[in-house]
Amino acid sequence: KQKTAYAMLRSLVGSEMCIRDSLMDVNTIKVYFDGNCGLCSKEISYYKRIDKKNTFDWVNIYNDDTDLKKFGITKSEALMELHALDKDGKMHKGVDSFILIWKNLSLFWPILGIVVSFFPIYIIAKFVYKKFAIHRFNKLGYCNIKPTNLSK
């Protein structure tokens, strides 16, 4: 069985707990997005405007991928797909990140999150998102970085 990031981090002691606690604010969901992508930035700006409860901490990974490195996620992987750390310390990526965001927004968004969670919609959404993410990643010049050249 695969452990969640939170389960792995719960077992840490001493200074390692400080790293965990600095990443996890139990009242917010951290969303790691590509702030250099126009489409991504517009979408995140919209979510910020409708997030009246300040549920999210929005992290532009193009400028700062420090948190993700602590989870073993490369900058290349982060630029490829949206990532989000939930309130329990579980890391989500791609469509799962969107579902997490939608379920924690107001208005009709939680309904969309629930609908997209159901099979076969979930499978189709994952397939379409992955195709879109690969296309966007390959199209944007700044994403064309080799994993060995990423900041360490």
Side-chain angles (χ1 to χ4, degrees), residues 32-93:
Y32 302 94
F33 70 100
D34 179 359
N36 206 37
C37 166
L39 177 64
C40 306
S41 294
K42 285 179 186 174
E43 185 169 8
I44 297 300
S45 291
Y46 172 74
Y47 293 151
K48 285 180 182 180
R49 281 195 313 274
I50 65 171
D51 177 25
K52 304 297 182 199
K53 297 181 277 182
N54 293 320
T55 304
F56 303 96
D57 180 13
W58 306 96
V59 181
N60 178 351
I61 57 94
Y62 187 78
N63 295 332
D64 181 12
D65 62 342
T66 309
D67 281 5
L68 291 172
K69 283 191 247 179
K70 293 174 184 171
F71 284 97
I73 299 168
T74 66
K75 190 167 191 170
S76 183
E77 291 170 321
L79 290 171
M80 173 73 79
E81 293 184 89
L82 184 71
H83 287 72
L85 183 65
D86 70 20
K87 295 175 183 179
D88 294 325
K90 181 181 176 191
M91 187 63 75
H92 302 258
K93 76 175 195 176

Side-chain angles (χ1 to χ4, degrees), residues 34 36-40 79 133-145:
D34 179 359
N36 206 37
C37 166
L39 177 64
C40 306
L79 290 171
I134 291 168
H135 172 75
R136 184 192 75 84
F137 184 85
N138 291 331
K139 185 178 174 187
L140 297 175
Y142 67 87
C143 286
N144 294 328
I145 51 180

Side-chain angles (χ1 to χ4, degrees), residues 103-119:
K103 284 183 175 180
N104 285 279
L105 289 171
S106 56
L107 304 172
F108 64 88
W109 290 103
I111 296 168
L112 180 62
I114 292 167
V115 169
V116 174
S117 298
F118 287 118
F119 179 85

Side-chain angles (χ1 to χ4, degrees), residues 82 84 91-101 122 126:
L82 184 71
M91 187 63 75
H92 302 258
K93 76 175 195 176
V95 167
D96 294 313
S97 295
F98 283 102
I99 291 171
L100 177 65
I101 292 167
Y122 177 74
K126 283 187 75 139

